[in-house]
Amino acid sequence: MIEIEALYVPLDKLRNIGIMAHIDAGKTTTTERILYYTGRKHVLGSVDEGTATMDWMEQEKERGITITAAATTCFWKDHRINIIDTPGHVDFTIEVERALRVLDGAVAIFDATAGVEPQTETVWRQAQKYGVPRIAFMNKMDKTGADFFMSMKTMVDRLHARPVAIQIPVGVERDFTGVVDLVEMKVITWISEDGTEFLKSEIPEDLLDLVEEMREEMISLLAEEDEEIMELYLEEREIPVEKIKSALRKATINNRLVPVLCGASARNKGVQPLLDAIVDYLPSPLDIPPAKALTLNDEQIDIVPSPEGDFAALAFKIQTDPYVGKLTYVRVYSGKLEKGTYIYNSTKQIRERVARLMFMHADKREDVEYARAGDIVALIGLRSTTTGDTLCSPDRPILLEKIDFPAPVISIAVEPVTHDDEEKMVKAINALSEEDPTLRVNVDKETGQVVLSGMGELHLEIVTDRLKREFGVNVRIGRPQVAYRETIKQPAEAEGKYIRQTGGRGQYGHVIMRFEPLPLDSEKSFEFINKTVGGVIPKEYIPAIEEGIRESMETGILAGYPMIGIRAILLDGSYHEVDSSEIAFKIAASLAFKNAIKSCQPVLLEPVMRLEVITPEEYVGGIIADLNARRAQVESLESRANLRVIRALVPLSELFGYATTLRSLSQGRANHIAQFSHYKEVPERVIEKVLKAV
């Protein structure tokens, strides 16, 4: 147990960080070592043995992967570090998204044998989206094929990052013994098996040339960012260590450079310098731009991190705990929150009471009396708050920026085995969908089946496993279904007129609209433009027209799938001073849409996955032949150490059961990862098969 008052450090000594990477790069192992060396735990946990603190779910222990983001707190050199260990599998990308939304910095971990991998690119883009400063840790330097400089080059080539090595490895693969610190110009060598003991020594002769070259590169990059270093560099004077550190810190926080370190977490090497780098180079809540918020008058304001300010926090994760009920994880941006007080949920416009406050250590809890600006804390007692809601002071309501959630790409039908399971299933699915915003639930009107939609086969497999194991619900699972979409290929104009006279007040709505296709790679799936002039349609009816189109797009005309990639332009129309209403214009807009859409050449779209297969050389031919049979477009074939990497684009409908096929094609030696890439038109020869299945 940490002394509770010790948790409250000055804001400049607080670090809120995430650990992020591709699956199996060593995120959880690195976090375990951080907890060990900071004294947070006294036994080294192992992912392979199912003893990792941060992988606390039964499914995580069994599969050796991280499924849910876990939070913890530790201390290093008078600094408090709040850590969120995030999943690496693309199916659980929402856990990374919402963690990065509330974090101040991140450690990106790379497998030094592979460098940048597909999910690394995804999490890197997510971090860029929120402007999160990063440091990089090249892990697994002890593995066969490890290459520090190749891994750094992939950061430039694939991430377009500006990495700066602040360490280089001493030895490689089984001869990896330590690192050269390029800032302090010392060799660090680990001498005890658990990594607690290490020596700092002078740089040996055989490494001096390489070290001088890499340090020169580091200083020249810093000189571009710092005028004082530029001056000292040009005058060829010695640059003080503290000056290098402050310049590195500034460049990291401004997202100009990414400091790169290396180590082997599983062999207990390199983690203490990583902790130093977290403290030295990643920002405190005071170092990053203030959070933006809107007042009730739509005025944008800055939320300055201060315990004395008005309370403002963002709920970023909901978790159902078997012992204490619903946990709401929040990041406090301003003010102070005490247990037992009432707060205002400005998103839902309701008051909520905070019964208890807790700091989390994976699935363990520490009750506290209050939380303040900068803290990441779990609340108990909030009934209606969901992910992305703003919590604030009742007398100063504001709205923080919400969290975006990706749309699901795969669905399964679930039905209870017995009548007793039916009620339990409804409650369980409600709890799970509240926890996970990427899990969508619908009821098929024709069959009455409950349809779960998610990010991938593994995602839905974990959900159904939790239904059975955690909630005791026996369910039958239908075959996975692809989330097809529909769009249009040609523009068309149409008129929509809705007139009803029933003796009393009538209904009148009249619109003339044009519908155009949007590019499929556009960030928008729908765009509405009002081009009317002169008040031909009063502005209070315009939102109803847009809503009418949006509702019409929920059901396409080919197979009933939702429509995307449409621009709706309101050109003209008319209104009646007495009979016009919002509902009349909503119906008129939907009529215009239905009248036009048949002339717009509607087409069916399917989700395409970006697939990466890593395999020994001898299985490449068979794997590529199988991919070609699955309508794959093979993009590249690369060498990585003694393995080959196949990259391809494959329709999701062709990937069901692929893991089993790949195992048999490679005698279990190949592995793969697939993530959603884009939607594309379904070929003519496949459309009939899809329509038959509807």
Side-chain angles (χ1 to χ4, degrees):
M1 285 284 283
I2 293 175
E3 193 67 40
I4 293 300
E5 277 310 308
L7 288 165
Y8 303 105
V9 298
L11 274 177
D12 64 333
K13 292 188 180 299
L14 181 61
R15 301 288 182 270
N16 289 316
I17 67 159
I19 309 287
M20 63 182 204
H22 184 89
I23 191 168
D24 204 31
K27 294 177 305 302
T28 301
T29 301
T30 304
T31 308
E32 289 296 311
R33 299 308 181 262
I34 286 173
L35 296 178
Y36 182 70
Y37 299 130
T38 57
R40 193 68 168 98
K41 61 180 293 189
H42 305 293
V43 180
L44 285 167
S46 166
V47 173
D48 294 337
E49 293 170 14
T51 57
T53 304
M54 305 303 278
D55 283 351
W56 55 271
M57 288 174 66
E58 288 301 319
Q59 292 90 342
E60 292 177 317
K61 291 177 181 178
E62 288 172 3
R63 296 163 191 263
I65 62 169
T66 302
I67 292 167
T68 183
T72 190
T73 291
C74 61
F75 287 81
W76 186 253
K77 296 187 175 176
D78 299 325
H79 287 69
R80 175 176 152 205
I81 306 172
N82 292 328
I83 301 172
I84 297 182
D85 175 29
T86 64
H89 198 288
V90 66
D91 283 16
F92 309 107
T93 189
I94 179 57
E95 295 287 342
V96 186
E97 182 85 17
R98 57 185 172 189
L100 289 171
R101 169 66 179 82
V102 298
L103 292 171
D104 303 329
V107 178
I109 296 184
F110 299 77
D111 181 335
T113 67
V116 173
E117 298 176 89
Q119 186 63 3
T120 320
E121 295 182 53
T122 302
V123 297
W124 197 267
R125 282 196 303 270
Q126 288 172 308
Q128 280 180 317
K129 174 180 171 182
Y130 295 114
V132 177
R134 282 141 279 171
I135 59 178
F137 182 67
M138 297 302 172
N139 191 26
K140 304 192 179 184
M141 286 303 307
D142 59 321
K143 244 177 103 177
T144 302
D147 188 331
F148 177 79
F149 299 102
M150 173 278 293
S151 296
M152 269 190 64
K153 187 174 183 301
T154 64
M155 291 180 68
V156 178
D157 295 343
R158 297 181 196 166
L159 303 178
H160 308 293
R162 292 185 76 211
V164 52
I166 61 172
Q167 291 178 354
I168 60 170
V170 177
V172 72
E173 299 180 351
R174 65 174 61 187
D175 297 324
F176 174 70
T177 56
V179 300
V180 178
D181 183 334
L182 298 175
V183 177
E184 299 191 355
M185 291 297 278
K186 294 285 183 187
V187 172
I188 307 171
T189 309
W190 280 264
I191 54 175
S192 64
E193 195 173 321
D194 69 351
T196 52
E197 295 176 40
F198 52 89
L199 290 175
K200 288 192 176 183
S201 57
E202 297 305 313
I203 298 164
E205 286 286 331
D206 61 332
L207 277 175
L208 266 178
D209 287 347
L210 176 61
V211 168
E212 290 292 350
E213 181 190 332
M214 295 305 296
R215 182 178 166 88
E216 176 82 8
E217 192 175 308
M218 177 184 76
I219 297 297
S220 65
L221 281 169
L222 288 175
E224 294 175 26
E225 306 298 327
D226 187 284
E227 285 184 16
E228 200 176 327
I229 286 188
M230 173 69 83
E231 208 172 292
L232 293 167
Y233 178 61
L234 293 174
E235 293 172 5
E236 297 184 0
R237 287 161 57 193
E238 185 63 34
I239 302 171
V241 167
E242 288 313 310
K243 184 63 208 163
I244 294 173
K245 285 188 174 181
S246 67
L248 266 170
R249 178 176 179 77
K250 182 182 169 187
T252 305
I253 291 171
N254 292 335
N255 277 310
R256 298 283 300 160
L257 293 174
V258 181
V260 183
L261 303 92
C262 58
S265 298
R267 297 290 171 266
N268 311 316
K269 292 178 173 70
V271 178
Q272 293 95 331
L274 175 61
L275 278 161
D276 290 339
I278 289 168
V279 165
D280 290 341
Y281 307 126
L282 288 180
S284 75
L286 298 172
D287 296 318
I288 57 171
K292 304 289 182 188
L294 290 175
T295 65
L296 293 184
N297 301 323
D298 283 341
E299 176 193 350
Q300 191 173 81
I301 58 169
D302 289 340
I303 305 298
V304 178
S306 166
E308 280 72 49
D310 290 304
F311 174 68
L314 184 76
F316 68 93
K317 179 178 167 71
I318 306 296
Q319 183 179 315
T320 305
D321 188 290
Y323 302 105
V324 296
K326 179 178 163 182
L327 286 171
T328 306
Y329 285 77
V330 304
R331 161 70 190 264
V332 183
Y333 285 99
S334 173
K336 184 176 176 181
L337 175 64
E338 295 180 354
K339 73 174 186 180
T341 57
Y342 281 91
I343 52 178
Y344 185 62
N345 181 328
S346 55
T347 308
K348 302 276 195 310
Q349 299 184 357
I350 52 168
R351 272 161 53 100
E352 295 262 47
R353 183 177 179 274
V354 180
R356 288 167 67 190
L357 280 164
M358 294 181 296
F359 285 123
M360 300 299 293
H361 178 51
D363 61 336
K364 308 290 190 299
R365 299 164 291 277
E366 288 171 313
D367 276 276
V368 290
E369 294 298 313
Y370 66 91
R372 56 180 193 166
D375 285 337
I376 290 174
V377 65
L379 312 183
I380 294 178
L382 308 190
R383 295 176 180 275
S384 304
T385 298
T386 54
T387 300
D389 286 0
T390 299
L391 303 171
C392 56
S393 175
D395 53 0
R396 196 177 180 224
I398 56 159
L399 273 174
L400 291 159
E401 186 184 348
K402 295 193 78 168
I403 304 173
D404 295 326
F405 305 121
V409 295
I410 185 171
S411 304
I412 55 170
V414 294
E415 54 184 48
V417 172
T418 67
H419 183 69
D420 290 340
D421 288 315
E422 192 168 346
E423 192 176 334
K424 284 198 293 184
M425 186 181 84
V426 171
K427 284 183 180 175
I429 288 175
N430 284 340
L432 289 172
S433 59
E434 196 173 48
E435 278 187 26
D436 182 355
T438 60
L439 178 66
R440 310 283 168 85
V441 187
N442 290 297
V443 177
D444 189 306
K445 291 174 184 172
E446 292 182 8
T447 64
Q449 280 183 313
V450 174
V451 178
L452 297 181
S453 302
M455 301 307 296
E457 283 188 279
L458 180 61
H459 183 202
L460 294 178
E461 191 182 315
I462 295 294
V463 166
T464 53
D465 187 47
R466 291 185 67 191
L467 279 176
K468 294 170 186 175
R469 198 181 302 200
E470 284 179 39
F471 297 93
V473 182
N474 293 310
V475 291
R476 278 189 288 265
I477 311 298
R479 188 180 181 276
Q481 300 294 313
V482 177
Y484 291 100
R485 295 287 183 267
E486 297 182 25
T487 192
I488 57 174
K489 292 182 76 173
Q490 299 289 336
E493 287 185 20
E495 184 178 40
K497 192 176 277 191
Y498 181 69
I499 304 172
R500 286 286 181 276
Q501 291 294 337
T502 54
R505 180 177 169 177
Q507 294 283 356
Y508 184 95
H510 172 222
V511 296
I512 297 171
M513 301 193 71
R514 177 178 173 84
F515 299 94
E516 300 174 350
L518 283 171
L520 286 179
D521 57 359
S522 167
E523 289 186 5
K524 296 178 181 177
S525 62
F526 173 67
E527 186 179 16
F528 179 80
I529 300 172
N530 175 19
K531 283 194 174 178
T532 59
V533 291
V536 293
I537 299 174
K539 63 181 180 181
E540 61 263 31
Y541 298 135
I542 303 299
I545 295 170
E546 181 177 349
E547 185 60 29
I549 303 300
R550 285 185 183 275
E551 286 186 10
S552 298
M553 286 174 61
E554 288 174 10
T555 309
I557 65 167
L558 288 177
Y561 291 108
M563 301 194 77
I564 60 170
I566 294 176
R567 178 186 289 119
I569 305 168
L570 178 61
L571 301 171
D572 202 356
S574 61
Y575 75 103
H576 189 282
E577 286 190 2
V578 176
D579 292 348
S580 284
S581 65
E582 288 186 5
I583 189 70
F585 274 101
K586 190 173 177 180
I587 294 170
S590 67
L591 290 171
F593 181 82
K594 285 168 187 169
N595 292 338
I597 218 69
K598 293 169 189 171
S599 308
C600 289
Q601 200 179 334
V603 292
L604 196 63
L605 303 172
E606 63 182 345
V608 175
M609 310 300 281
R610 189 171 294 282
L611 178 74
E612 182 173 287
V613 180
I614 302 165
T615 176
E617 171 81 41
E618 58 264 38
Y619 307 113
V620 168
I623 291 170
I624 288 181
D626 176 71
L627 287 174
N628 288 334
R630 294 172 185 268
R631 297 194 284 129
Q633 177 189 336
V634 176
E635 291 191 310
S636 66
L637 179 62
E638 298 173 9
S639 296
R640 182 184 294 170
N642 56 344
L643 298 170
R644 302 301 294 273
V645 181
I646 305 165
R647 291 195 176 87
L649 294 170
V650 195
L652 173 63
S653 59
E654 303 288 352
L655 280 180
F656 293 141
Y658 184 65
T660 306
T661 303
L662 186 62
R663 273 197 297 271
S664 76
L665 285 171
S666 65
Q667 298 178 10
R669 294 173 63 195
N671 58 58
H672 78 291
I673 186 164
Q675 62 187 73
F676 174 72
S677 173
H678 61 278
Y679 275 94
K680 78 165 188 179
E681 189 177 337
V682 177
E684 282 290 333
R685 66 182 188 278
V686 182
I687 285 180
E688 196 175 330
K689 181 179 159 188
V690 174
L691 296 181
K692 273 185 185 174
V694 176

